[in-house]
Amino acid sequence: MRNCYSPLTLEESLKILKEIPCWILAGGTDFMLKKERDISENILYLGKISELKYIEEEGARIKIGAMTTLDNLEKSQILENFLPLLDTISSPGIKNHATIGGNLCNASPIGDMIPPMYALNGKVVLARQEGKREIPVEEFFLGRKKTALEREEVLTEINFENLKEYKFIWKKVAGREANALSKLSLFVAYKEEKGKLSDLRVAIGGMGPEVIRDRELEEEILKKLSLREKPGIEGYMKIISPITDGRSDAAYKTAVFRNILTGALSEIKNEIGEK
Amino acid sequence: MNLKFELNGKIIEENRADALDNLADYLRGELHLTGCKIGCREGECGACSVLVDDRLTLACITPLLAVDGKKVKTIEGIKEEKLFKIIEESFLEAGAVQCGFCTPGMAIAAYALLKGKRNLSRDEIRAGISGNICRCTGYNAIVEAVEMADIKRGEGI
């Protein structure tokens, strides 16, 4: 029979992990659906650790504690920019319990918090008893459901650029508007002032084992848009690798992806063209 | 694992062999609080909605260890409250109940929503019950019922 641990501090949880291999449990909203639940594995539940619940602006970055719930994110003034995105995720009963740390560690290619973290150069903080390390999200996600989190580590924080002067475009394709998992998603962040586009970032969810971001392609698109030209997206069509799954098939995702990316870039082109 | 929590105002102490047992099966199967319905068992339908520390919670995906030290309320625990009576009345008046299976969960979601805010817009009501599925009504009558309850309750409730 498994043992369940419910420590009150991070220090205590790292001590337990050092000695005992555990499945780390955050809000449980995904875990409770899994077959893994039936495996007799020890559980380390982080729900009582209040020091992992925070949203702070520090210099040019926003820091969020791993056990901060989606409901906390939605109610935070610091994250007002993200409301259109948070609005499309899950339902109130889930948001009250689902955490950002859980969403990240779950490492689903369609986790809705992940594309923005790629676009905003997010970094995760991984703690172990001996100390902590901070790595970019690109190094954290190693494939479908795979992360760089080691057995003795807990993800304690995600931090990312606080781009107040940027605009965000979020396109989520799902079976319906409310409480649905994404089939694919697109997060675009761009900086535009008086018709001049100075930065553009594109992060794509659900079209490969990990979220896709390609800085060279972003640079090409930025150049084209700055010249008021229609940017090509063939570069992206080459690097996507969607799979057919229970929610939709690869051909559908490819066609829809082409449409939403083209649509998002036209939105930006039209916006700067009007100025 | 030893767990201690409040359920509908009573302190419960449990020593569970598996603290990952889900709250919905526990409430229904062991305590016979059958107002908590099980529809999908995957957090999609909202029929098992309860309140944990007054926050809307899906019991089917809540492990028992997550309610340790907390206050759990089921529909049985709020049915004598004034706000609940108003919700009940409004659901009847608006014709918001047909087969009734989603109704307890819907009423709990409405209760959490009304507790959190006053003068709700229709969009806010729709968002508030967006995790609760109803196969009969088409939702409009339910939205009307929640709006009605919001107007009817007056100050202090």
Side-chain angles (χ1 to χ4, degrees):
Chain A
M1 185 43 74
R2 68 180 134 232
N3 287 313
C4 294
Y5 304 94
S6 192
L8 299 175
T9 63
L10 177 62
E11 194 187 344
E12 206 185 322
S13 64
L14 298 176
K15 187 167 177 283
I16 294 167
L17 265 188
K18 180 86 189 167
E19 291 158 12
I20 307 157
C22 288
W23 182 282
I24 301 171
L25 180 61
T29 54
D30 200 72
F31 173 77
M32 289 298 281
L33 314 178
K34 281 188 201 312
K35 291 198 191 85
E36 284 95 324
R37 185 163 65 104
D38 298 327
I39 299 168
S40 64
E41 189 162 13
N42 297 317
I43 296 290
L44 178 69
Y45 175 62
L46 304 181
K48 289 189 177 174
I49 306 179
S50 50
E51 68 195 287
L52 293 180
K53 294 177 191 175
Y54 57 88
I55 304 169
E56 290 164 5
E57 277 179 296
E58 199 181 270
R61 290 183 84 79
I62 293 174
K63 303 162 75 168
I64 302 180
M67 290 301 291
T68 307
T69 64
L70 298 184
D71 179 67
N72 298 148
L73 302 184
E74 204 168 52
K75 296 205 165 101
S76 159
Q77 288 196 333
I78 296 174
L79 299 171
E80 251 181 335
N81 279 350
F82 291 85
L83 268 183
L85 183 149
L86 293 166
D87 257 357
T88 66
I89 305 179
S90 76
S91 67
I94 293 177
K95 278 183 187 163
N96 284 336
H97 298 277
T99 64
I100 190 162
N103 195 257
L104 299 175
C105 289
N106 205 22
S108 163
I110 52 153
D112 282 336
M113 295 310 295
I114 304 176
M117 295 306 120
Y118 270 71
L120 305 176
N121 295 325
K123 290 178 184 168
V124 292
V125 178
L126 309 176
R128 63 167 71 218
Q129 220 181 7
E130 292 79 10
K132 54 187 181 182
R133 60 183 176 130
E134 186 178 73
I135 58 171
V137 286
E138 281 97 334
E139 288 170 32
F140 178 68
F141 294 104
L142 302 178
R144 205 174 298 274
K145 300 269 170 185
K146 287 197 190 96
T147 70
L149 189 73
E150 288 175 14
R151 198 199 65 70
E152 294 172 16
E153 288 179 323
V154 170
L155 184 151
T156 60
E157 178 185 292
I158 172 90
N159 60 68
F160 51 92
E161 290 172 307
N162 186 8
L163 303 179
K164 281 197 181 121
E165 66 282 21
Y166 279 58
K167 289 173 188 162
F168 301 153
I169 295 176
W170 169 243
K171 307 260 186 200
K172 167 169 172 161
V173 180
R176 58 193 163 127
E177 223 176 280
N179 194 17
L181 297 172
S182 294
K183 297 174 196 284
L184 64 145
S185 63
L186 173 70
F187 184 88
V188 181
Y190 63 99
K191 189 179 179 189
E192 177 272 328
E193 265 173 319
K194 295 174 187 154
K196 192 182 176 309
L197 193 64
S198 55
D199 192 14
L200 174 109
R201 302 154 185 207
V202 176
I204 302 154
M207 295 301 284
E210 303 131 43
V211 165
I212 294 169
R213 186 173 171 204
D214 186 313
R215 287 169 172 78
E216 279 174 31
L217 292 175
E218 289 171 3
E219 200 57 41
E220 280 175 29
I221 289 175
L222 180 67
K223 269 185 206 154
K224 285 276 188 191
L225 284 173
S226 299
L227 296 167
R228 305 287 196 271
E229 283 172 19
K230 189 179 174 206
I233 59 163
E234 290 316 309
Y236 281 106
M237 301 313 290
K238 279 182 199 142
I239 57 172
I240 55 172
S241 57
I243 55 162
T244 294
D245 58 22
R247 278 181 291 277
S248 54
D249 63 44
Y252 170 85
K253 288 183 201 172
T254 305
V256 173
F257 169 69
R258 180 184 287 279
N259 292 343
I260 60 172
L261 180 58
T262 306
L265 298 180
S266 313
E267 262 178 56
I268 300 171
K269 183 171 177 283
N270 292 340
E271 189 185 340
I272 58 175
E274 282 161 11
K275 295 183 183 169
Chain B
M1 188 180 199
N2 286 313
L3 303 173
K4 187 175 175 184
F5 55 94
E6 199 181 301
L7 175 65
N8 295 336
K10 284 186 198 142
I11 301 291
I12 304 251
E13 289 188 61
E14 285 275 358
N15 186 5
R16 304 296 295 190
D18 191 354
L20 290 186
D21 288 342
N22 78 68
L23 182 60
D25 283 335
Y26 170 75
L27 292 173
R28 286 180 62 84
E30 298 181 40
L31 305 183
H32 310 298
L33 292 169
T34 51
C36 170
K37 304 292 180 201
I38 295 177
C40 68
R41 283 192 185 276
E42 50 186 42
E44 293 280 351
C45 79
C48 67
S49 296
V50 298
L51 300 166
V52 175
D53 283 354
D54 285 328
R55 308 177 70 73
L56 188 63
T57 299
L58 301 168
C60 76
I61 53 168
T62 302
L64 279 180
L65 66 82
V67 302
D68 184 42
K70 305 214 161 165
K71 288 182 183 164
V72 180
K73 282 186 199 167
T74 66
I75 193 153
E76 291 87 349
I78 60 167
K79 68 179 182 187
E80 299 305 328
E81 286 184 28
K82 268 188 189 164
L83 178 60
F84 181 79
K85 298 260 185 210
I86 294 167
I87 294 171
E88 190 178 29
E89 250 175 52
S90 305
F91 267 64
L92 292 174
E93 209 176 317
V97 180
Q98 288 186 33
C99 88
F101 191 82
C102 75
T103 309
M106 219 34 113
I108 290 265
Y111 178 95
L113 190 58
L114 291 163
K115 276 271 184 185
K117 201 168 181 264
R118 290 183 169 272
N119 303 318
L120 294 158
S121 70
R122 290 209 157 197
D123 281 350
E124 285 172 322
I125 296 171
R126 286 188 183 277
I129 60 166
S130 62
N132 296 70
I133 291 176
C134 170
R135 299 298 291 164
C136 308
T137 62
Y139 302 100
N140 285 338
I142 297 172
V143 174
E144 258 170 56
V146 179
E147 194 174 38
M148 202 185 280
D150 192 18
I151 295 165
K152 264 191 193 169
R153 63 172 154 167
E155 292 301 309
I157 297 176

